[in-house]
Amino acid sequence: MRCSRTLGVVDRVLSTQFRRLGAHIGRRPSYFIIFPVMITLLAATGVQQLRYQDDPEYLFSPSTGRSKQERATVDRLYPTNFSQFNTGRMADMGHFIRLVVTAPAGGGPLLTERVFDQLYELDEAVRKVRVDAGEESWTYDQICATWGDDCLDNVALKMRTYIKDVEANRSTVTYPFWFEADDVLPVIETFGSPELDGDRVIDVPALQMLYWVGNHEYFNVSLSLKWELAVQERLAQIIPTFEHLNISRFGSETLKRELDVNTRSVIPYMAATVVVMLLFSMVSTSMADWVRSKPLLGLAGVVSALMACGTAFGILMYCQLEFIGINLAAPFLMLGIGLDDTFVMLAAWRRTRVQDPVPERMAVTYGDAAVSITITSLTNVISFLVGAISPFPSVQIFCLYTGLSVAVTFVWHVLFFGACLALSGYAEQRNLHALTLRPVLPVSQSDSKSPAYRLFCAGGISKKEPWNERDNQDHALMTFFRDSLGRALNKPAVKALVIVAFLCYLGVAIWGCTMVREGLDRRKLSRDDSYAIHAYEVEDRYFRMHPYRIQVVVEGEYNYSDPVLQDQISTLVDTFKNSTFVDGETDLLTEFWMKRWLFDMDLYDTIGLDGTQSVDNLKSWLEGSQYEQDVIFDSAGEKIVSTRFLIQTQDIRDTQEDMRMMLELRRICDESDFKCTVYHPMFTFFDQFAVVREVSIQSISISAVVMMIVSLIFIPSPTCSLWVAFSIISIETGVVGYMTLWNVNLDCISMINLIMCIGFSVDFSAHISYAYLSGRGLSADDRLREALHSLGLPILQGGVSTILAVGTLALAPSYIFITFFKTNFLVIAFGMLHGMLLLPVLLSLLGPGSHCCSGRGKGEDPEEPRVESIACHEQKIIMASETPLRIPRPQTTLPKTKAGSDRDSLESSRDLGLGTSAEEESSSSRESSVGVASDEGPSPATSRSRPARSRSLCARAERYANAGYVTDDELNSPIPAARQRVRHRSERGRPSSRSSSGIASSQSSTQSSSVNSSQPGSPAR
């Protein structure tokens, strides 16, 4: 009990402060509309500071990845030399065009003269492409990467000289090198998955041609980039004209360009999403009563979410934070989150009394709902902040933009939407139609009207008969959740069925978790209809036999004339060659200058590199050879400080083997006695495969722990907090398992969504747990029903709205946004099922007030204090949680000399909002306004000042939280339903033998006895 009281401090403080804020907004709503709109318009100007980032290597590779250091080492020691260019010795990919040719279905072999004639035509078309810059123009031959004075050869074109003999079987093609006449052709880079008989080529299903260009610029204009884009445009035009060939194309800029096109593909669906959300929000906030319907508030909820997203984006753009295409998914998410808060606040408003003044209803609404949406908003923000510390820049940027959007959405909903709710309350008070804003008759007075009027116009309450049962109908769906679903879940058989279904769900989820696949395949960064998809598929199908040329760099001043050192380095080379991922059988595929030097010099005992003459001989031998770039001397040119050799990988069939290959080669380096580095430009992409699982588990674990702590702070019950934590783990397990079964890999995109899922999984669980805990003094079954009555409908509405918000993402031809849809659909669906079915059952069985957790009888809980003291505006309102109190409402009697002035001051202090005035206020509004101050009874004028009115308002708001509070209006109401509520409340507590006048006259002296004394019918302790 002491723990519960300690943890409940935050809840009580927040409830009190939000009641104050709600009352203040209720009195002056116009200011709280103007302020958010002005801030949004100001922040929106931040779009002029937009810095767009679309480099996939930067976004999707970990910033702390080892490949970044490996690249820096290679670039420092062996920068790419485009005048002595070698494809195996690149520090980065540079600019290139890659063409892969395959035969069409039934098209026959590729090693024919007809095919090579068409390859020659294709080559001519590429070489003729001309780019202009200023008054000059360039072609490929002028900007190509060269070896010596010539552009790098395309082996396929050199084969054209001998192809007639090959077709006539007068020449035999060998692999990986073809020795013909005086030429040595490295066909390993040209042939894709050749069919071999030993080293003899029988058939070739794919041929490759590469065009490399240097980093040429003309007055800061990248000629290489301009040429590449021009060639891509030309190829798109001419490729369909080659009837006997299937040609796929790819360039160094393809991944970046396709990522940009991919993310922009969702823009056309934004307008459709907004329309769908507007229609849903307006329909779902409507009811049969056209005065209490709130379609315009549904519209306000959508506007509030969009304003918040624009405000957050503008602020971060002013802060110079880069913008990425994935951020375009944030508005879809904000629409779902914003409407979730909308429905929770609207449900709290509908639980207030229609007869009360607007400021008082706003105070009760905020005290009831604001704490709940604070929990969910805070947990969402924290989950995104945890994602912001991820090593992946794409995850960091998205989480910062979305996290701030969630925070601003919360603030704007409390201020802007709350002000709109107050305006709607004033319209409801004046009995205005929800859409036309014209006065209408209540249902009880519209019998003489047409059926159309009764169906589409009637609503509100009668001022003459405010308690008429026909005008005070509860929301049909809220009643369904309490009376139908709640009663069903209280049946033991249904509870057992729910638990069995949950165990089946959890079993399938765990099975799915065992089959998680890691890594973001490059093809998934392109649209489904992109030309790049075909290029990736052809590469994976035909060019995995010998895919990567790996550089191994050894740093340090070593004595290479020492035979022991020579043996150690040779052992290192052999260790690499013995790896299952390296082709060690073909010596020509391993390039190491030292072995070739030893062979050429015929000096196996020593190479004498410690003498100046021998060093000069080595330099002369290296000059002009392919090994010249593999040896680095010190500044004096006398000692070798770094050396490099190349190895060839083999038979790497997918991205998982890419990762394993990289990790094994790094392990060999780490276990050697040398300062060793292995590198390939593609390692920057492979790094994400190696760390994504570890980073995901770390981020999810941190988020889950923080969510549990936050839940414990805001939900003052350790038992409820533990069940919320259980729901988080269950939902996250379900999302990971079922997304794997839904063909979603664990990668940067899904990691973003899993981090979001932690925050979203708290939403529904926290809502229902907080509502369940609020039902103090009730039995477990009654708590369950009341919790579903309070938040069952908002949970359903919020879940459906979020699914609708992200639903249009499934239509985008993009893996990125389809993944957003799949994971968000799973977390929302599982969250709703946990919130509406599983968690209520578990709480009723093992939560506060249940038989299993309490030995004190129905409705009592050892975690709950029997008398809860709540401080509100320097007053302590003592509420007995079991005994129903009949508190008489004193009549409002103001001194004649002060009545008029008091009434005027009360009326003038209320701002009815934009478009309203005091003259339009009805007499009922004035009476309600006086009623705010009348709770404390007759008092001097000074006691009816604004602080006194606030204390009275807070006191009345506190009574809504008292399950045993019975008003005089309800006790004396002619409505059978109202009297039934009185009997229902009385049956839940102990019968009181004291008269209401006794309580009113000696309340302070009887509070203790009302709690501690034994009375007939009291539960046994």
Side-chain angles (χ1 to χ4, degrees):
M1 183 168 66
R2 182 176 302 173
C3 176
S4 181
R5 283 177 175 173
T6 302
L7 295 175
V9 171
V10 176
D11 174 64
R12 292 194 294 270
V13 170
L14 280 179
S15 297
T16 301
Q17 296 304 318
F18 274 118
R19 287 189 186 103
R20 291 179 179 177
L21 178 60
H24 192 61
I25 294 175
R27 287 191 293 269
R28 292 177 175 83
S30 58
Y31 302 112
F32 297 92
I33 292 178
I34 295 173
F35 176 75
V37 171
M38 296 300 295
I39 295 298
T40 299
L41 294 177
L42 182 62
T45 59
V47 71
Q48 60 189 334
Q49 304 293 328
L50 176 66
R51 294 173 55 213
Y52 191 75
Q53 176 62 258
D54 60 354
D55 183 3
E57 182 178 307
Y58 166 73
L59 293 176
F60 298 105
S61 61
S63 56
T64 57
R66 184 169 169 175
S67 61
K68 301 291 178 69
Q69 295 145 13
E70 293 166 345
R71 170 177 288 181
T73 298
V74 173
D75 199 38
R76 172 173 52 87
L77 297 171
Y78 305 99
T80 304
N81 186 349
F82 287 101
S83 60
Q84 296 291 324
F85 186 72
N86 185 289
T87 56
R89 293 174 167 83
M90 299 181 298
D92 57 65
M93 298 298 291
H95 290 285
F96 66 89
I97 290 291
R98 179 184 187 185
L99 300 177
V100 178
V101 176
T102 57
L110 291 179
L111 298 181
T112 63
E113 186 177 8
R114 182 184 65 176
V115 170
F116 276 79
D117 287 343
Q118 289 205 333
L119 290 181
Y120 183 78
E121 294 178 16
L122 182 61
D123 176 72
E124 285 292 314
V126 171
R127 291 176 179 270
K128 286 181 180 179
V129 173
R130 185 177 295 273
V131 293
D132 298 323
E135 298 179 356
E136 299 186 36
S137 60
W138 288 264
T139 61
Y140 173 73
D141 293 332
Q142 295 171 290
I143 62 175
C144 63
T146 61
W147 180 265
D149 296 328
D150 299 322
C151 293
L152 208 64
D153 289 329
N154 256 314
V155 175
L157 298 177
K158 294 185 69 173
M159 289 177 58
R160 185 168 180 257
T161 306
Y162 313 108
I163 199 64
K164 284 186 178 180
D165 294 337
V166 173
E167 192 173 9
N169 294 324
R170 293 192 295 269
S171 179
T172 301
V173 182
T174 57
Y175 184 88
F177 294 92
W178 182 18
F179 302 91
E180 185 68 24
D182 295 331
D183 287 329
V184 179
L185 304 178
V187 295
I188 186 174
E189 295 182 354
T190 303
F191 291 175
S193 298
E195 182 181 349
L196 302 176
D197 181 9
D199 62 350
R200 185 172 67 89
V201 176
I202 299 175
D203 190 21
V204 178
L207 296 171
Q208 176 177 253
M209 295 196 301
L210 289 165
Y211 297 86
W212 298 92
V213 291
N215 291 329
H216 295 276
E217 290 188 357
Y218 179 82
F219 290 100
N220 295 324
V221 175
S222 176
L223 298 176
S224 304
L225 174 60
K226 198 170 183 179
W227 177 85
E228 180 184 334
L229 298 179
V231 171
Q232 290 278 23
E233 184 178 350
R234 178 60 178 160
L235 288 172
Q237 298 172 354
I238 66 173
I239 283 178
T241 63
F242 291 88
E243 300 178 358
H244 304 291
L245 302 176
N246 279 336
I247 303 173
S248 62
R249 55 190 172 95
F250 186 83
S252 59
E253 290 291 313
T254 295
L255 198 57
K256 179 187 295 187
R257 299 283 170 173
E258 288 302 301
L259 176 62
D260 184 43
V261 173
N262 186 6
T263 53
R264 292 176 186 270
S265 65
V266 77
I267 294 178
Y269 299 98
M270 284 187 173
T273 300
V274 172
V275 172
V276 170
M277 297 306 294
L278 286 174
L279 292 176
F280 174 78
S281 62
M282 296 178 71
V283 171
S284 61
T285 53
S286 300
M287 52 190 296
D289 188 321
W290 280 99
V291 171
R292 297 172 63 192
S293 290
K294 305 296 179 186
L296 296 183
L297 280 184
L299 174 63
V302 174
V303 172
S304 178
L306 295 177
M307 285 172 51
C309 195
T311 303
F313 279 29
I315 292 173
L316 291 178
M317 288 175 187
Y318 268 122
C319 295
Q320 299 296 302
L321 182 65
E322 296 166 316
F323 187 88
I324 60 177
I326 303 176
N327 289 345
L328 295 176
F332 296 88
L333 299 174
M334 291 309 104
L335 285 173
I337 294 173
L339 283 182
D340 182 22
D341 294 345
T342 297
F343 296 134
V344 172
M345 292 183 68
L346 189 55
W349 171 267
R350 282 175 172 156
R351 292 194 298 274
T352 62
R353 295 198 315 174
V354 181
Q355 295 79 9
D356 289 340
V358 171
E360 184 171 342
R361 297 183 70 185
M362 289 291 294
V364 176
T365 298
Y366 272 56
D368 187 11
V371 176
S372 183
I373 67 173
T374 299
I375 299 173
T376 58
S377 298
L378 182 61
T379 53
N380 287 332
V381 170
I382 291 176
S383 67
F384 284 116
L385 290 179
V386 172
I389 63 176
S390 163
F392 295 96
S394 58
V395 179
Q396 295 173 2
I397 296 172
F398 178 84
C399 287
L400 286 174
Y401 271 96
T402 312
L404 185 58
S405 297
V406 173
V408 180
T409 298
F410 166 73
V411 175
W412 267 204
H413 255 67
V414 170
L415 300 181
F416 176 82
F417 179 79
C420 294
L421 180 60
L423 290 179
S424 175
Y426 284 112
E428 185 177 329
Q429 194 176 65
R430 297 165 61 187
N431 233 62
L432 302 183
H433 192 277
L435 287 176
T436 64
L437 300 180
R438 297 178 63 85
V440 294
L441 295 175
V443 174
S444 61
Q445 297 179 5
S446 60
D447 294 335
S448 60
K449 298 291 184 179
S450 65
Y453 184 94
R454 293 195 300 271
L455 184 61
F456 297 109
C457 297
I461 61 174
S462 171
K463 299 188 184 303
K464 297 180 180 179
E465 296 181 285
W467 292 101
N468 191 298
E469 185 175 9
R470 296 177 60 191
D471 299 332
N472 288 271
Q473 298 294 324
D474 203 353
H475 195 287
L477 286 178
M478 294 176 69
T479 304
F480 165 79
F481 277 100
R482 181 189 61 199
D483 297 341
S484 299
L485 182 60
R487 286 175 180 170
L489 292 179
N490 280 329
K491 295 179 180 179
V494 176
K495 290 182 179 181
L497 180 62
V498 169
I499 293 175
V500 170
F502 166 72
L503 293 177
C504 294
Y505 146 85
L506 193 60
V508 176
I510 294 174
W511 174 59
C513 290
T514 62
M515 299 187 294
V516 171
R517 300 176 296 274
E518 297 119 350
L520 179 63
D521 194 349
R522 290 176 299 165
R523 75 188 69 194
K524 294 178 179 178
L525 297 179
S526 303
R527 285 170 54 106
D528 296 340
D529 55 355
S530 169
Y531 69 88
I533 298 295
H534 183 245
Y536 294 137
E537 291 175 348
V538 169
E539 178 184 0
D540 288 342
R541 186 181 308 151
Y542 298 116
F543 290 92
R544 285 287 187 172
M545 184 180 289
H546 290 96
Y548 308 115
R549 198 93 172 122
I550 306 297
Q551 304 176 51
V552 183
V553 176
V554 178
E555 293 184 78
E557 293 186 7
Y558 298 105
N559 183 9
Y560 284 87
S561 64
D562 184 357
V564 175
L565 181 70
Q566 296 171 20
D567 292 340
Q568 289 176 340
I569 292 184
S570 297
T571 301
L572 176 62
V573 175
D574 291 339
T575 304
F576 279 107
K577 292 171 66 175
N578 291 333
S579 169
T580 56
F581 297 104
V582 177
D583 189 339
E585 298 181 359
T586 308
D587 289 336
L588 290 176
L589 294 179
T590 302
E591 298 183 54
F592 187 28
W593 66 270
M594 193 180 76
K595 285 195 173 183
R596 186 61 183 269
W597 162 261
L598 292 172
F599 179 80
D600 287 353
M601 296 293 102
D602 197 25
L603 298 174
Y604 291 95
D605 54 344
T606 177
I607 59 175
L609 293 180
D610 54 346
T612 304
Q613 183 178 0
S614 296
V615 172
D616 291 339
N617 290 338
L618 175 61
K619 290 181 179 178
S620 299
W621 179 81
L622 291 172
E623 187 176 357
S625 73
Q626 62 190 20
Y627 302 113
E628 184 177 10
Q629 303 177 50
D630 295 339
V631 182
I632 303 296
F633 294 91
D634 62 5
S635 57
E638 297 176 354
K639 296 181 179 179
I640 297 176
V641 295
S642 179
T643 186
R644 172 173 65 177
F645 60 90
L646 276 65
I647 56 178
Q648 180 66 53
T649 58
Q650 66 173 354
D651 297 329
I652 301 175
R653 297 300 176 183
D654 54 37
T655 56
Q656 291 302 304
E657 291 196 357
D658 287 335
M659 177 191 68
R660 288 193 287 270
M661 174 269 297
M662 178 185 69
L663 295 178
E664 180 170 334
L665 298 184
R666 285 176 175 172
R667 179 188 59 79
I668 294 173
C669 256
D670 295 338
E671 293 176 355
S672 71
D673 297 329
F674 299 95
K675 185 180 179 182
C676 179
T677 301
V678 292
Y679 175 72
H680 187 277
M682 291 300 295
F683 279 7
T684 53
F685 289 100
F686 301 164
D687 260 344
Q688 60 144 327
F689 305 151
V691 303
V692 68
R693 180 191 288 264
E694 177 185 350
V695 172
S696 298
I697 294 175
Q698 178 182 355
S699 299
I700 292 171
S701 301
I702 294 174
S703 297
V705 171
V706 175
M707 297 305 106
M708 296 173 192
I709 296 173
V710 171
S711 299
L712 185 61
I713 292 174
F714 284 89
I715 303 176
S717 167
T719 305
C720 285
S721 298
L722 286 175
W723 283 124
V724 171
F726 173 80
S727 297
I728 295 172
I729 296 172
S730 172
I731 293 172
E732 194 72 13
T733 303
V735 172
V736 174
Y738 284 89
M739 82 173 190
T740 302
L741 300 176
W742 208 352
N743 297 322
V744 176
N745 287 4
L746 182 61
D747 50 41
C748 296
I749 306 301
S750 59
M751 186 172 73
I752 290 174
N753 288 275
L754 290 177
I755 293 172
M756 285 193 307
C757 290
I758 290 291
F760 289 174
S761 62
V762 179
D763 290 2
F764 302 137
S765 303
H767 285 327
I768 207 70
S769 298
Y770 188 80
Y772 183 90
L773 188 64
S774 299
R776 300 183 185 276
L778 302 180
S779 66
D781 291 349
D782 287 338
R783 286 179 186 237
L784 185 151
R785 296 176 63 236
E786 290 301 323
L788 288 175
H789 176 259
S790 300
L791 286 170
L793 179 59
I795 287 176
L796 178 63
Q797 291 174 320
V800 173
S801 66
T802 304
I803 291 175
L804 288 177
V806 300
T808 52
L809 295 178
L811 304 177
S814 164
Y815 168 83
I816 294 175
F817 295 113
I818 290 176
T819 299
F820 267 91
F821 164 73
K822 289 181 178 180
T823 51
N824 277 275
F825 174 82
L826 290 175
V827 70
I828 297 302
F830 295 156
M832 284 197 301
L833 293 175
H834 277 69
M836 293 191 299
L837 299 178
L838 179 65
L839 198 55
V841 168
L842 295 177
L843 287 172
S844 67
L845 292 175
L846 299 170
S850 64
H851 288 286
C852 297
C853 291
S854 175
R856 305 188 180 189
K858 245 183 182 183
E860 299 188 27
D861 180 26
E863 292 184 7
E864 298 178 5
R866 288 181 54 80
V867 178
E868 180 174 351
S869 181
I870 298 179
C872 182
H873 291 246
E874 303 177 356
Q875 286 186 339
K876 290 187 175 181
I877 302 172
I878 310 300
M879 299 184 302
S881 60
E882 294 179 354
T883 305
L885 302 181
R886 176 183 178 275
I887 302 177
R889 174 174 299 173
Q891 299 297 321
T892 303
T893 56
L894 298 175
K896 295 183 179 180
T897 57
K898 298 288 184 179
S901 59
D902 248 314
R903 185 179 297 110
D904 293 340
S905 64
L906 285 171
E907 292 175 3
S908 62
S909 67
R910 182 189 301 110
D911 179 2
L912 296 184
L914 298 175
T916 63
S917 64
E919 288 79 7
E920 295 174 345
E921 187 178 6
S922 64
S923 60
S924 63
S925 299
R926 290 194 296 272
E927 292 169 1
S928 299
S929 301
V930 176
V932 174
S934 66
D935 284 288
E936 298 178 359
S939 60
T942 56
S943 69
R944 292 193 298 270
S945 61
R946 182 169 301 178
R949 291 199 307 272
S950 300
R951 288 194 298 270
S952 175
L953 179 62
C954 184
R956 294 180 59 134
E958 292 287 357
R959 293 168 189 161
Y960 281 94
N962 184 3
Y965 173 66
V966 180
T967 66
D968 280 348
D969 290 336
E970 291 177 320
L971 191 65
N972 300 323
S973 172
I975 306 176
R979 292 196 297 271
Q980 178 64 29
R981 285 197 296 271
V982 173
R983 288 194 298 271
H984 177 68
R985 294 177 186 177
S986 300
E987 290 170 0
R988 293 204 298 254
R990 300 186 224 174
S992 175
S993 60
R994 293 182 306 274
S995 66
S996 60
S997 60
I999 297 175
S1001 62
S1002 58
Q1003 181 178 359
S1004 60
S1005 61
T1006 58
Q1007 281 169 346
S1008 176
S1009 61
S1010 67
V1011 175
N1012 299 322
S1013 61
S1014 300
Q1015 300 180 19
S1018 300
R1021 292 188 178 274

